[in-house]
Amino acid sequence: MNVKRQNDNFRNILPYAVLFLVVVAVFLTLNMQGSKVNELSTGDLITELKENNVTEITVMPKSDEGVYYIEGKLDGYKKTEKFTTKVVSAELDNILDMVKDNEIKEYETEADPGGNIIWDIIINVLPIVIMVIIMYFLFSKIASSNKNSMDFGRSKARLSSDKDKKSFKDVAGLEEEKEEVSELIDFLKNPKKFEKLGARIPKGVLLVGPPGTGKTLLAKAIAGEANVPFFFISGSDFVELFVGVGASRVRDMFKEAKRSAPCLIFIDEIDAVGRQRGTGLGGGHDEREQTLNQLLTEMDGFGENEGIIIIAATNRPDVLDPALLRPGRFDRQVTVSLPDSNGREAILKVHAKNKILGDDVNLKNLSQRTPGFSGADLENLLNEAALLAVRRNKNKITMDEIDEATDRVLMGPAKVTRKITEKEKRLVSIHESGHAVIGLKLEDAQEVHKITIIPRGMAGGYTMMLPKEEKIAVLTKNELLAQITGLLGGRVSEEMFLKEISTGASDDLKRATRIARSMVTEYGMSALGPIQYEEKSEGVFLGRDYTKSKNFSDQVALEIDEQIRVIIEECYEKAKKIIKENEKLVMQLSDALMEYETITKEQIESIVKTGKIKPDLIEKNIEEKDKKKTKKNEEEK
């Protein structure tokens, strides 16, 4: 590292050193060109001495021929002008006496003027050395630029080092996905077993799933389990400004992979290069399409890539080109979905290995409270909790930090410094209590875990409601109606107890309307029958769902609007009925929120049973409130 840094410093200093030498050479050259030497005879020198015209004189040592050389300057000479004279020994004493009489500045040197070899070498050789250094510097720059230009079409795929090697032990959860890709590991370890029965292993495996579910980690674990070279590259690394560069990089990547076969190539975010052709503004000669064509040819074209398995990852398989997904290319798709409760617990255990957790931390309970969290979300959750523990000068991570971190991940940091009026505080408490009562009293509603009126993000408060039982992706009509009713509970509570409504329910209304519209147009859960009137239209070029295709007339559109209104109104009336029957509970929850700002599941259950919070739970809540005040003061400092 130090050697590299010294080389970098030398390269930085070298241009300035070369510039300095050039300036010195130019200066010396100008001095040499401007100097003028006049040869005087001995008589002329004596005459000038008699006339007192000599201002400086230098007598050189005696040469082998018995002759002295004299240099000097006459009155009227320029700075670069001088004279030289040869004097024999017999006349030297006479000249020196005249010099003393005239008080002329006299110099004596110990070197022979004809023998100043060093000065001659400097004058004659230095310009050549400087030119050689300049030429070397220029040619090295040209050579490095040519090298970079030659590497422009080289693959940017990087070979994973042993430090980055992973195994299935590092991948928590994903048991079905591991089993699905186990064939690849067996093939890479023992390909002859498959070839004996004529089995063809998939050349490409596409990992599909939401962001943060562990697709990249799973690909690294496959290579680590098989103990084969692992090349990884991003889809955006292929695409460049110039057409043909991406295709060249694809060819070079497969060329390098063939030398290391059997091996794995991992292409992350393949949708950056594998989007469907013929869409958007790009034509047939677009760089991205050229790159895709070359990738298709290399995977299953005229050449054979024995022992090379390509694993790609994306969260948008719908925008990929159909030719990329056909048999012989990415003919196997492995869906890496969000983890369930057991998977989340395993992931939390992996990320908790290097963290000091308190005795009150139960990872199993935490996994049940975080449905919908991906592996990246869970890692971020524990990291946020660790940061909070450090900020509070604690030696361990307790449930207090984990609860706060959960709220941060879901809603953002608490706005503890924001001033809230009593009127606004009462409105938010009534609103959130309405949500909570619907969750507590409606059979198919989600379970209420926490209520708070502390502002977070854009919300003045929120009610944490989680499913009673974790489901994969199937919801019944009654559960959807219960969700809409719960979302409308806040608005109903405001209207009944405050005799006015606010803008706080805008997001609730938006979500409720979206669910109702999906029930009518997509799920067939209305009087219009089991017909799908709308479906999402994917903008392949833009990569977003901007529009929905409509396959119905204006008359049906009117009926759809009417059915949406019917669903919303029925749920609104149901919410009114539930809240009216539980007015006392709404006020009890609201009063508790006004006093403590946040109440937990245990405290909510205590209010439902006895109408008030148990003393031991109150002490805990008071401690929480004091901690928040202390935290507020620390953050202000």
Side-chain angles (χ1 to χ4, degrees):
M1 191 62 145
N2 294 331
V3 175
K4 184 179 180 181
R5 189 173 296 170
Q6 291 176 1
N7 293 336
D8 293 338
N9 294 334
F10 176 73
R11 292 176 182 176
N12 295 331
I13 297 173
L14 183 60
Y16 300 102
V18 171
L19 180 63
F20 173 75
L21 293 175
V22 170
V23 173
V24 171
V26 171
F27 179 76
L28 292 175
T29 304
L30 291 175
N31 286 341
M32 290 172 61
Q33 290 178 352
S35 63
K36 183 179 179 181
V37 180
N38 300 319
E39 293 186 3
L40 298 180
S41 63
T42 304
D44 292 336
L45 177 58
I46 293 173
T47 302
E48 296 292 345
L49 287 170
K50 289 179 179 180
E51 294 180 357
N52 202 19
N53 290 333
V54 180
T55 59
E56 293 182 9
I57 193 167
T58 302
V59 179
M60 306 294 182
K62 184 177 180 180
S63 66
D64 296 338
E65 299 174 355
V67 177
Y68 291 91
Y69 289 88
I70 296 178
E71 292 182 355
K73 290 186 176 182
L74 300 179
D75 190 16
Y77 272 20
K78 297 179 180 180
K79 291 183 179 181
T80 58
E81 190 175 3
K82 63 181 179 179
F83 69 83
T84 59
T85 304
K86 292 181 181 180
V87 179
V88 295
S89 302
E91 297 178 350
L92 181 62
D93 295 335
N94 184 24
I95 291 175
L96 292 176
D97 291 338
M98 295 179 68
V99 168
K100 291 179 180 179
D101 294 339
N102 294 339
E103 296 182 354
I104 300 171
K105 187 184 291 186
E106 180 182 358
Y107 299 93
E108 273 195 43
T109 63
E110 297 178 355
D112 187 356
N116 195 357
I117 301 175
I118 297 176
W119 183 248
D120 290 340
I121 291 175
I122 292 175
I123 293 176
N124 295 319
V125 177
L126 183 61
I128 299 174
V129 173
I130 292 173
M131 291 302 297
V132 170
I133 293 175
I134 293 174
M135 295 299 292
Y136 172 78
F137 182 72
L138 293 176
F139 277 110
S140 63
K141 282 288 185 183
I142 295 172
S144 62
S145 63
N146 288 336
K147 183 180 179 181
N148 293 333
S149 64
M150 294 299 291
D151 292 343
F152 197 64
R154 297 289 300 275
S155 170
K156 290 188 176 182
R158 298 176 295 279
L159 185 63
S160 178
S161 62
D162 293 336
K163 294 181 180 179
D164 296 331
K165 186 174 290 187
K166 302 291 182 181
S167 65
F168 280 165
K169 294 181 181 179
D170 301 310
V171 184
L174 304 182
E175 299 301 328
E176 294 80 6
E177 290 80 358
K178 293 178 187 177
E179 186 176 350
E180 186 71 17
V181 298
S182 60
E183 288 181 358
L184 303 180
I185 300 171
D186 293 340
F187 174 77
L188 292 170
K189 287 183 175 179
N190 189 11
K192 293 182 179 180
K193 181 174 69 173
F194 291 84
E195 294 172 358
K196 182 178 179 180
L197 297 177
R200 180 183 62 83
I201 202 70
K203 294 183 179 179
V205 177
L206 185 65
L207 302 179
V208 180
T213 50
K215 299 184 289 294
T216 304
L217 182 61
L218 181 61
K220 289 183 178 180
I222 294 171
E225 290 288 336
N227 196 23
V228 295
F230 180 72
F231 294 90
F232 60 96
I233 188 172
S234 173
S236 59
D237 289 336
F238 290 110
V239 183
E240 289 287 350
L241 176 65
F242 305 104
V243 177
V245 174
S248 175
R249 289 178 177 175
V250 172
R251 288 191 294 268
D252 187 67
M253 179 181 70
F254 277 90
K255 182 179 178 182
E256 291 293 329
K258 288 177 183 177
R259 296 173 182 172
S260 304
C263 66
L264 279 175
I265 299 176
F266 177 65
I267 305 176
D268 197 11
E269 304 296 344
I270 194 174
D271 51 281
V273 69
R275 287 182 176 271
Q276 186 173 341
R277 292 168 290 182
T279 57
L281 304 177
H285 295 286
D286 178 61
E287 161 67 354
R288 179 181 56 78
E289 295 193 6
Q290 293 284 358
T291 307
L292 175 59
N293 292 337
Q294 186 62 44
L295 181 62
L296 296 173
T297 303
E298 291 289 345
M299 288 189 69
D300 189 30
F302 294 101
E304 291 291 334
N305 294 314
E306 295 296 337
I308 301 176
I309 296 178
I310 304 176
I311 301 177
T314 181
N315 50 18
R316 290 300 306 270
D318 50 297
V319 302
L320 296 180
D321 193 276
L324 200 61
L325 304 177
R326 75 158 176 81
R329 291 176 180 140
F330 287 104
D331 47 8
R332 178 175 294 187
Q333 291 190 24
V334 178
T335 302
V336 185
S337 55
L338 293 171
D340 58 6
S341 177
N342 295 330
R344 291 193 298 272
E345 183 182 357
I347 293 171
L348 287 170
K349 288 180 179 178
V350 169
H351 293 301
K353 286 181 179 178
N354 62 341
K355 294 177 176 61
I356 303 174
L357 300 179
D359 297 333
D360 60 338
V361 177
N362 190 322
L363 295 181
K364 184 174 183 179
N365 293 339
L366 180 59
S367 67
Q368 294 173 352
R369 294 171 50 189
T370 51
F373 276 48
S374 66
D377 292 332
L378 295 171
E379 190 275 335
N380 185 42
L381 172 64
L382 290 181
N383 184 63
E384 286 287 343
L387 293 175
L388 286 170
V390 173
R391 194 180 303 171
R392 296 174 180 177
N393 296 321
K394 288 188 175 182
N395 297 324
K396 294 182 179 180
I397 302 171
T398 64
M399 280 304 298
D400 296 338
E401 286 74 42
I402 291 179
D403 287 338
E404 176 66 19
T406 305
D407 294 338
R408 280 173 169 263
V409 172
L410 291 174
M411 304 294 295
K415 298 181 179 179
V416 292
T417 59
R418 178 180 172 184
K419 293 182 179 180
I420 307 174
T421 63
E422 287 296 318
K423 182 179 178 180
E424 184 181 1
K425 195 173 180 181
R426 172 61 71 179
L427 188 148
V428 175
S429 66
I430 289 291
H431 182 99
E432 298 302 333
S433 298
H435 287 308
V437 167
I438 299 296
L440 291 168
K441 297 300 180 179
L442 194 58
E443 182 179 355
D444 294 311
Q446 294 180 334
E447 190 174 15
V448 181
H449 280 254
K450 185 179 182 181
I451 313 173
T452 180
I453 58 173
I454 298 175
R456 288 183 181 273
M458 299 299 293
Y462 75 96
T463 302
M464 180 186 291
M465 301 176 69
L466 301 175
K468 296 176 182 177
E469 295 180 357
E470 190 168 355
K471 296 186 177 182
I472 301 175
V474 179
L475 294 173
T476 64
K477 181 180 179 180
N478 288 335
E479 289 172 341
L480 292 174
L481 292 174
Q483 286 187 17
I484 297 174
T485 306
L487 290 169
L488 297 175
R491 167 60 66 87
V492 172
S493 185
E494 291 178 15
E495 185 179 357
M496 290 183 64
F497 294 96
L498 302 176
K499 306 303 178 184
E500 62 178 347
I501 56 178
S502 69
T503 60
S506 59
D507 186 62
D508 298 332
L509 299 178
K510 177 181 176 182
R511 292 162 61 190
T513 306
R514 187 187 300 123
I515 296 172
R517 187 170 191 86
S518 297
M519 290 176 64
V520 176
T521 61
E522 296 180 34
Y523 309 145
M525 295 180 178
S526 69
L528 295 181
I531 302 173
Q532 187 178 53
Y533 293 99
E534 291 180 348
E535 60 180 350
K536 293 179 181 179
S537 177
E538 308 292 348
V540 177
F541 178 68
L542 298 174
R544 294 292 300 275
D545 307 333
Y546 283 105
T547 60
K548 288 187 177 181
S549 59
K550 298 181 179 180
N551 301 318
F552 49 83
S553 63
D554 294 340
Q555 178 63 33
V556 175
L558 178 61
E559 294 178 5
I560 289 173
D561 294 338
E562 290 177 351
Q563 289 298 314
I564 294 172
R565 187 179 296 109
V566 167
I567 292 175
I568 296 293
E569 289 177 352
E570 288 179 354
C571 292
Y572 197 80
E573 292 299 323
K574 185 184 291 186
K576 275 186 176 181
K577 181 180 178 182
I578 294 173
I579 290 178
K580 190 173 182 179
E581 293 173 352
N582 298 276
E583 291 183 9
K584 186 177 180 181
L585 180 58
V586 173
M587 294 310 300
Q588 289 171 346
L589 291 173
S590 176
D591 293 340
L593 288 171
M594 288 292 292
E595 185 175 358
Y596 304 114
E597 294 184 344
T598 300
I599 53 178
T600 61
K601 180 182 177 182
E602 295 82 2
Q603 294 168 342
I604 295 170
E605 291 175 351
S606 177
I607 293 174
V608 173
K609 292 179 181 179
T610 63
K612 58 182 180 180
I613 303 177
K614 292 180 181 180
D616 55 339
L617 298 176
I618 292 176
E619 292 177 2
K620 181 180 178 182
N621 208 291
I622 292 174
E623 291 176 2
E624 289 289 331
K625 196 172 181 180
D626 293 339
K627 288 176 183 177
K628 287 177 182 176
K629 288 183 179 179
T630 305
K631 173 191 169 187
K632 177 181 177 181
N633 296 332
E634 290 177 353
E635 290 181 351
E636 287 177 353
K637 290 179 181 179

